[in-house]
Amino acid sequence: MKGVTERKRVEVAAARLAAIVESSDDAVIGKDLSGVVTSWNAGAEKNFGYTAEEMIGRPIGLLIPIERQHEGTDILQRVRRGESVRHFDTVRLRKDGTRIDVSITVSAIKDATGTTIGASKVARDITERKRAEEARRESEDRMRLATEATGVGIWEWNVTTNQIRWDAQMFRIYGIAPTPDGFVPYAAWSGVVLPEDLPEQEKILRETAQRLGRGSREFRIRRTTDGEGRTIQAVETVRPDAEGKPQWVVGTNLDITEQKKAEKVVRESETRYRTLFGCAPDGIVIANPQGFYLDANASVCDMLGFTREQIIRLHSSDIVAPEETVEIEPALRAINADSFYRRQWKFKRKDGSNFAAEVIATTMPDGNILAMIRDITERKRAEDKINRLNAELERRVAERTAQLETANKELEAFSYSVSHDLRAPLRAVDGFSQAVIEDFGAVLPEEGRRQLGVIRQSAQRMGQLIDDLLAFARLGRQELNRRTIDTEALVKAVLSEMGSPWPERRVEVRIGRLPASVGDLALLKQVWINLLSNALKYSRKRDQAVIEIGSVEIGGEPAFFVRDNGAGFDLRYAGKLFGVFQRLHRLDEFEGTGVGLAIVQRIVQRHGGRVWAEAAVERGATFFFTLESEKAS
């Protein structure tokens, strides 16, 4: 009978325990020594989302994240040794894959002989607790960082004992060495406050404490460390004791010296802005992004005939000419998108008259639009006048060009006619002079033969002058046939064609680097012929004539040169070098018509280049020329 009663008591206790386990909000899980689930209560289903049918017979590892699988192995090993695991905080997986924070307690289950046959695991969801702890830590961190980052100091004042307690930031603000416990004597604070501010501050503190209220004030201090004056903003509130009497005044201090300086700068800047805004000769308006006016200066009011109060009730489309209103919306989009806008508009005054204005607009940091309006009526009139004058000038230029073309054609015809008409008598003079010498030279006196020789030379020189002058005139009309030219080959061909006009002379020709050039082959050939002929001519009095041909870099472009060791010239007269019929040497010293260098200059200029010379008397001369680069052409 006693055995039956004991068994019933055990059964009742077991039933009660099972009911407690089943009704628990905690997950109560049974598992064998291999980690397979043997029991699963309602709390486990609630916390992990699996039903008992889904989990019993499956490994407990389903609930453990991959990176924490070692925890399950460690716990099973401890259970097999008969040990328990208590209040182990970790992370486990729900059926939907989400993670929850849990606190786990695992106890070994033993049979009557004391052999471990399984384990009982209780898992409590501590997600909310973790969140609360994290929130508290974050709050504390934010408070600490806020006081450090913003420079806010926190203080407490015991109304009864007159004790003051500061945090570390307060000591930094006042420039006072911190105390170990944070307490400072009342005199430490009052001794730093400027004497003229102290009575008012003490009065405010007393009144705040008496009414159990909240106060805000500003005062000035002279910092202990450097004696620098600073402005402090203080905010405080009263914390009463159990009986409702004031006990502690708790507050903050913030050094607002720089803020005060900035506010002063802003005020001064605002004053300057308002002065400039009001006195600017151009009209200035401020509009919102939709085009409604928010402000306008006096100049724009005078310009449009509206008062400021009238303008700030208008839209941009209300002050432009009717035909311009369709352009308002595109203009606003452009300004809001690109932040800078410029355009000429036709505006409409209050009386209905129109005027031209230039608008420059930009977006401001607050998103509104700042626009400057400049009346350009007079400028438009001036532009119209200039356009009319330009049109008249172009008409006159066209007329003069036509007249010049006609004159040039007439001059060209005249030149060829003169050339033809002059050549015939010159040939007759030359021919008959030669005939007289040949037929009657024996009976003529020596002076007569000499004078006939002079007549022949003069006639021949006149013929050469006519040929050179016509060649020079043709250069301005000849079309350029540009091509890439092997300069070195061209120079060698010119030297070969020229041969040796004075075979008895010793002439050394040195050819240096000659890069390719771009131009008209025939004309550039004439340049080299003229320059080389001059070099040979003016160096003929030297026992050993030296002619150097090459190029140098000037401004990144090649400049070709021909250098000789001949007679040279005085650079003071270099301005005459390239003039037609201009000569720096007497005809009896060196022959020539004075047209060769003029032809060189004309050809080089037509190729977009320039020509110049360097020389000294009896020390030779160097002639340089450049051509327009291939990139430029």
Side-chain angles (χ1 to χ4, degrees):
M1 190 67 177
K2 182 179 179 181
V4 173
T5 302
E6 183 64 22
R7 187 170 62 253
K8 290 293 286 183
R9 188 176 62 78
V10 171
E11 289 175 356
V12 170
R16 287 177 179 171
L17 179 60
I20 293 171
V21 168
E22 190 62 28
S23 62
S24 174
D25 287 334
D26 293 333
V28 181
I29 305 168
K31 58 183 179 180
D32 62 19
L33 295 181
S34 64
V36 174
V37 176
T38 57
S39 64
W40 188 267
N41 76 333
E45 182 175 343
K46 174 184 175 184
N47 284 299
F48 295 106
Y50 290 99
T51 64
E53 290 77 12
E54 290 174 319
M55 282 304 298
I56 292 176
R58 301 182 71 182
I60 195 68
L62 288 175
L63 307 180
I64 305 175
I66 293 176
E67 73 276 8
R68 293 178 178 266
Q69 286 292 326
H70 64 280
E71 294 178 356
T73 303
D74 293 343
I75 290 172
L76 280 175
Q77 289 175 352
R78 294 180 63 179
V79 168
R80 289 169 186 152
R81 293 194 298 266
E83 299 175 5
S84 296
V85 178
R86 296 188 178 278
H87 308 303
F88 174 59
D89 291 353
T90 185
V91 176
R92 291 296 182 256
L93 294 173
R94 289 176 53 82
K95 182 179 179 180
D96 60 8
T98 57
R99 298 183 175 217
I100 60 172
D101 293 297
V102 294
S103 179
I104 294 173
T105 297
V106 182
S107 302
I109 300 175
K110 300 180 181 180
D111 60 12
T113 64
T115 302
T116 300
I117 59 174
S120 173
K121 171 181 178 181
V122 178
R124 173 166 293 175
D125 185 348
I126 59 171
T127 303
E128 293 304 322
R129 191 190 81 190
K130 286 284 188 180
R131 288 176 181 169
E133 291 175 353
E134 184 66 24
R136 178 178 56 78
R137 283 194 299 271
E138 289 179 357
S139 177
E140 292 173 352
D141 289 342
R142 282 196 299 270
M143 185 64 180
R144 177 179 55 81
L145 291 173
T147 57
E148 292 177 358
T150 61
V152 174
I154 300 174
W155 58 274
E156 294 177 308
W157 171 42
N158 191 308
V159 177
T160 305
T161 63
N162 216 29
Q163 285 181 311
I164 300 175
R165 185 166 58 200
W166 286 356
D167 71 353
Q169 189 65 29
M170 286 290 293
F171 288 100
R172 285 194 286 269
I173 290 173
Y174 285 84
I176 296 175
T179 59
D181 56 5
F183 282 99
V184 294
Y186 184 81
W189 172 76
S190 61
V192 177
V193 179
L194 294 188
E196 56 266 38
D197 288 4
L198 182 60
E200 179 67 19
Q201 298 307 309
E202 291 178 325
K203 176 183 176 184
I204 293 173
L205 279 173
R206 287 193 299 270
E207 291 177 350
T208 301
Q210 290 170 3
R211 69 172 183 268
L212 297 176
R214 185 177 184 276
S216 177
R217 56 203 166 87
E218 291 181 10
F219 57 92
R220 295 167 298 166
I221 66 169
R222 190 163 301 283
R223 202 158 49 189
T224 302
T225 49
D226 51 19
E228 184 179 352
R230 311 296 290 179
T231 302
I232 305 298
Q233 182 184 61
V235 177
E236 56 266 338
T237 186
V238 178
R239 190 173 65 198
D241 59 14
E243 298 177 0
K245 296 179 180 180
Q247 183 180 19
W248 288 93
V249 177
V250 182
T252 60
N253 274 189
L254 176 64
D255 186 339
I256 59 171
T257 307
E258 300 307 321
Q259 177 185 329
K260 284 290 188 180
K261 291 178 181 178
E263 289 174 355
K264 181 181 178 183
V265 170
V266 169
R267 286 195 301 271
E268 292 173 351
S269 176
E270 178 70 17
T271 301
R272 287 194 298 270
Y273 161 73
R274 276 292 156 195
T275 302
L276 291 172
F277 185 82
C279 299
D282 293 319
I284 302 176
V285 294
I286 298 175
N288 66 16
Q290 292 73 42
F292 289 95
Y293 292 120
L294 305 175
D295 202 355
N297 72 344
S299 294
V300 80
C301 293
D302 295 340
M303 198 180 296
L304 295 169
F306 291 99
T307 65
R308 178 180 175 275
E309 290 70 23
Q310 290 171 330
I311 288 179
I312 61 178
R313 292 199 297 266
L314 299 177
H315 185 265
S316 303
S317 58
D318 296 325
I319 63 169
V320 298
E323 62 269 25
E324 296 268 44
T325 55
V326 295
E327 299 296 332
I328 291 294
E329 287 303 320
L332 288 172
R333 286 196 298 271
I335 296 169
N336 290 322
D338 299 333
S339 84
F340 184 82
Y341 176 86
R342 187 173 195 152
R343 183 182 185 272
Q344 290 185 9
W345 288 79
K346 185 184 291 185
F347 279 83
K348 179 181 66 177
R349 297 186 181 91
K350 184 179 180 181
D351 61 9
S353 60
N354 295 332
F355 67 97
E358 182 178 59
V359 174
I360 299 175
T362 186
T363 53
M364 298 191 296
D366 61 2
N368 289 325
I369 298 170
L370 176 69
M372 184 185 76
I373 304 172
R374 175 172 294 174
D375 188 336
I376 57 172
T377 303
E378 293 304 318
R379 191 177 86 186
K380 295 293 285 184
R381 287 174 183 165
E383 288 174 354
D384 291 342
K385 184 177 180 179
I386 290 172
N387 290 336
R388 289 195 302 272
L389 291 174
N390 285 339
E392 177 65 18
L393 180 60
E394 288 178 2
R395 184 186 64 80
R396 292 184 180 183
V397 168
E399 290 178 357
R400 295 292 187 272
T401 302
Q403 293 171 1
L404 183 59
E405 288 177 353
T406 301
N408 283 338
K409 289 178 181 178
E410 293 174 353
L411 181 60
E412 184 176 354
F414 173 75
S415 298
Y416 281 106
S417 176
V418 168
S419 172
H420 182 271
D421 293 344
L422 284 177
R423 277 195 177 94
L426 285 173
R427 283 194 297 270
V429 169
D430 184 29
F432 281 115
S433 298
Q434 183 179 6
V436 170
I437 293 173
E438 292 175 352
D439 295 343
F440 305 103
V443 298
L444 287 174
E446 182 66 27
E447 178 63 19
R449 287 195 301 272
R450 187 191 68 78
Q451 290 178 354
L452 285 172
V454 171
I455 291 172
R456 285 200 66 202
Q457 290 175 358
S458 298
Q460 290 169 2
R461 186 166 182 271
M462 176 64 77
Q464 186 61 49
L465 281 171
I466 292 170
D467 290 341
D468 288 349
L469 188 59
L470 289 174
F472 182 75
R474 281 195 298 270
L475 285 176
R477 301 187 302 273
Q478 185 174 341
E479 291 292 332
L480 295 182
N481 181 19
R482 290 183 182 272
R483 53 176 286 189
T484 301
I485 299 170
D486 185 336
T487 308
E488 184 175 347
L490 173 60
V491 169
K492 289 180 178 178
V494 168
L495 289 170
S496 177
E497 290 178 11
M498 291 174 63
S500 178
W502 299 282
E504 73 282 0
R505 292 176 54 193
R506 290 189 302 164
V507 179
E508 179 185 355
V509 178
R510 303 170 184 171
I511 300 177
R513 175 180 173 273
L514 293 171
S517 54
V518 176
D520 187 292
L521 178 61
L523 293 180
L524 292 182
K525 181 178 180 181
Q526 189 63 51
V527 169
W528 287 108
I529 289 173
N530 290 8
L531 292 178
L532 290 170
S533 296
N534 273 7
L536 287 167
K537 177 170 63 176
Y538 289 105
S539 63
R540 72 184 181 195
K541 295 182 179 180
R542 296 287 184 262
D543 293 335
Q544 174 71 55
V546 178
I547 311 299
E548 296 182 57
I549 306 164
S551 68
V552 293
E553 288 286 329
I554 298 179
E557 297 290 341
F560 301 100
F561 67 84
V562 174
R563 180 179 293 122
D564 65 69
N565 64 338
F569 58 85
D570 191 334
L571 273 178
R572 289 180 298 173
Y573 306 109
K576 295 182 177 182
L577 276 176
F578 302 103
V580 179
F581 304 136
Q582 297 288 335
R583 295 176 51 82
L584 301 184
H585 300 86
R586 297 194 312 275
L587 188 60
D588 59 353
E589 289 184 299
F590 298 101
E591 71 281 358
T593 61
V595 181
L597 289 178
I599 289 175
V600 168
Q601 185 183 56
R602 177 68 64 88
I603 294 173
V604 169
Q605 286 177 344
R606 291 205 63 197
H607 281 77
R610 64 188 183 97
V611 60
W612 69 98
E614 296 176 359
V617 177
E618 296 301 330
R619 295 179 62 184
T622 305
F623 284 84
F624 298 87
F625 71 92
T626 62
L627 302 172
E628 186 179 35
S629 68
E630 187 172 7
K631 291 181 289 185
S633 62

